[in-house]
Amino acid sequence: MKLLHFTDIHLTKDGETIGGRDPNANFAKGLAHAMTLHSDAEALFITGDLSDWGDAEDYERLKGLLSSLPMPVHLLIGNHDDRGTLLDAFPALEGPGGFVQYTAPLSLGTAICLDTWGPETHAGHFCIDRAAWLDAELDKAEGPVWLFMHHNPVPIHVAPMDKIMLLDADRFAETVAPHRDKIRHIFHGHCHLPLTGSLHGIPLSAPRGTNHAGWADFAATRLLSSAELPQAYSVVFATPTSVLSHMVEFGYEGEIKGEGSPDYADWNRMTMVR
């Protein structure tokens, strides 16, 4: 199974930039890159911050950008989105209780997409109702299960970012722990950083994002930090016994150098580039 994981695309008004970068152009560039190399992926997941300000025009723009893709696209909500406006544009995303939560079948198990949005905050929320829904879906899901969400469910130990992580992280952890043997991976975004880790033994990961990049400033106490790093998305390869996630830095514009053959017989001081 091959999946594409995009996050934090932050679409905005034409001509506006974020961090000196054009998020609309960069998302389109990322899609073109992925479709050139990975059009055989069976699904694309975009884990939130679809719009920078939750404007209706951004969601209409997103519809147009996704309209010609050859695979199903599964959208999630992030803290920069507006739930009502998003659901007006994509009513099929609405789940029980008005949350942007739903399941999607995959060739290898089931994807569960979660709503961690809360009003007037950048932090993540996972209320009792959402937890009950997830628990019920995990009970009945055909394994393996792949969880997708926007906010990071574990701290990354960068103080300003941890102020806006999933604040109901304990509730989330208590919900997934009994199902740890069924859940193969948790995919999230929000941090604009490449991250890997685990929760109750469940692996988790996040790519950088398709526009502006974060920076892990472990000395920061109040402000988030950014850096001029390449824009990225992830491509995920999964089998019944393995999972591998590549962060693809499609925004890199430097030289790609040939180093030499991987065959041992070809390794010598004359041909290997050093």
Side-chain angles (χ1 to χ4, degrees):
M1 178 176 74
K2 180 194 282 192
L3 305 174
L4 291 168
H5 176 200
F6 279 56
T7 195
D8 296 278
I9 64 177
H10 287 268
L11 300 186
T12 191
K13 296 183 184 302
D14 282 334
E16 290 189 354
T17 61
I18 304 172
R21 299 178 176 184
D22 183 337
N24 300 342
N26 280 320
F27 177 61
K29 181 180 178 181
L31 279 182
H33 188 277
M35 291 307 101
T36 298
L37 296 173
H38 306 295
S39 62
D40 59 336
E42 68 178 70
L44 164 63
F45 293 83
I46 309 179
T47 53
D49 283 0
L50 309 173
S51 167
D52 196 42
W53 293 100
D55 293 334
E57 295 84 354
D58 296 336
Y59 299 125
E60 292 303 316
R61 183 179 295 105
L62 181 58
K63 280 185 182 180
L65 290 165
L66 300 177
S67 62
S68 62
L69 297 188
M71 73 281 290
V73 179
H74 305 297
L75 303 176
L76 285 84
I77 189 169
N79 50 288
H80 279 256
D81 293 304
D82 179 84
R83 187 189 280 147
T85 309
L86 174 60
L87 290 175
D88 285 344
F90 297 96
L93 297 178
E94 185 169 1
F99 296 113
V100 182
Q101 299 197 144
Y102 55 94
T103 64
L106 297 172
S107 63
L108 187 59
T110 304
I112 300 181
C113 298
L114 302 177
D115 183 325
T116 58
W117 183 87
E120 299 182 359
T121 177
H122 287 300
H125 296 270
F126 192 68
C127 61
I128 293 173
D129 290 341
R130 281 176 271 194
W133 177 85
L134 176 58
D135 185 55
E137 292 300 315
L138 286 168
D139 271 338
K140 67 183 182 183
E142 298 265 344
V145 169
W146 313 85
L147 289 184
F148 292 83
M149 59 199 297
H150 179 68
H151 289 85
N152 50 306
V154 300
I156 68 167
H157 304 282
V158 175
M161 182 57 72
D162 286 343
K163 291 178 181 177
I164 57 172
M165 65 174 282
L166 186 68
L167 298 186
D168 300 313
D170 289 345
R171 178 179 290 125
F172 178 78
E174 290 166 2
T175 304
V176 300
H179 306 278
R180 62 171 69 90
D181 292 338
K182 184 184 286 189
I183 303 170
R184 287 286 298 279
H185 205 92
I186 299 170
F187 300 94
H188 69 89
H190 186 50
C191 302
H192 295 245
L193 295 167
L195 298 166
T196 61
S198 66
L199 175 63
H200 287 302
I202 305 166
L204 58 86
S205 65
R208 184 176 291 133
T210 61
N211 192 64
H212 43 303
W215 180 261
D217 182 355
F218 295 102
T221 58
R222 190 172 66 89
L223 297 178
L224 300 171
S225 300
S226 64
E228 292 300 319
L229 298 169
Q231 303 91 330
Y233 63 85
S234 286
V235 57
V236 179
F237 299 88
T239 74
T241 58
S242 67
V243 181
L244 182 69
S245 180
H246 281 273
M247 189 178 77
V248 181
E249 295 180 299
F250 71 90
Y252 176 69
E253 297 180 349
E255 182 183 1
I256 306 298
K257 301 177 181 179
E259 187 181 30
S261 169
D263 295 326
Y264 186 80
D266 294 333
W267 285 30
N268 61 69
R269 292 178 182 269
M270 295 296 294
T271 62
M272 292 302 291
V273 178
R274 289 289 183 264

